[in-house]
Amino acid sequence: PRSTLFPYTTLFRSTGKSLDELKEWPALVHVEDRQEVSIQWEQSVVTGQTFDFDLRLLSANGQYRWFHVRDVPLRDAEGDISRWYSLFTDVQDRKIEEELRRANEDRLRQIIESVPGMIACADAEGMHDYANKRVMDYVGMQLAEVAGEGWIHTIHPDERDHVRSAWIRSVTFRQPMDIDHRWRRFDGTYRWFH
């Protein structure tokens, strides 16, 4: 990423504005970002805390470009703010990558939700953090109820300890779990699953 302290050489190039014009930089902020930027900036001025924000600024070609703006106060001997130093970092490429990743995640989620099977995911420590709608409909519970280790309570009591041990072994040794057990449906009926 390109960044600069005053003078705003990157900002001059990107916006096509002079230093005097850049003093009115809030007018260059995208209308969708303007209110939140204004609130955050006023809070920084009142509290003296660093302003740290991603926002879109109008560029010389009439398009908006993402910048990360960080304003840090300089205090005098009495502790009063005498001026603010600003760092503008061009984060356009990062924002585009984030949007693409979100779009890919959404597309993957749609694919997973359309699979005619039950799918659940867990993190590297074995804590469940996702289950598709078919799982939730089958067990008649919300994700929060089966997340973490909550799912183990949906296993038949006769197999629960065995399944828990197999799961711990699978996670610990990073090996697949290959097991049959009964799983409780929303109506209390247990059915066998692999």
Side-chain angles (χ1 to χ4, degrees), residues 129-167:
D129 55 9
Y130 173 79
N132 69 355
K133 186 174 182 324
R134 289 185 185 268
V135 171
M136 298 293 87
D137 290 347
Y138 183 82
V139 296
M141 299 168 74
Q142 298 297 313
L143 180 59
E145 298 172 277
V146 296
E149 294 183 348
W151 64 275
I152 200 70
H153 301 292
T154 65
I155 306 300
H156 193 282
D158 291 348
E159 287 105 40
R160 195 170 292 158
D161 288 342
H162 179 63
V163 170
R164 179 184 283 121
S165 296
W167 178 248

Side-chain angles (χ1 to χ4, degrees), residues 6 12 19 72 131 137 141 174 193:
F6 286 114
F12 291 149
L19 180 58
V72 180
D137 290 347
M141 299 168 74
R174 307 292 193 238
F193 280 85

Side-chain angles (χ1 to χ4, degrees), residues 63-120:
Q63 302 293 315
Y64 283 92
R65 190 161 184 88
W66 281 100
F67 282 86
H68 178 80
V69 181
R70 183 174 173 84
D71 288 299
V72 180
L74 175 68
R75 297 183 182 274
D76 59 23
E78 286 79 37
D80 296 324
I81 297 172
S82 59
R83 66 185 313 132
W84 288 84
Y85 287 95
S86 299
L87 174 68
F88 285 75
T89 305
D90 185 323
V91 294
Q92 181 73 16
D93 294 340
R94 186 192 82 201
K95 286 292 189 174
I96 290 170
E97 288 173 13
E98 287 173 0
E99 288 175 21
L100 287 172
R101 189 182 71 243
R102 268 194 303 274
N104 287 338
E105 287 171 356
D106 290 344
R107 192 168 30 256
L108 179 59
R109 190 173 286 105
Q110 290 172 355
I111 291 168
I112 290 171
E113 289 298 336
S114 68
V115 169
M118 294 185 242
I119 300 172

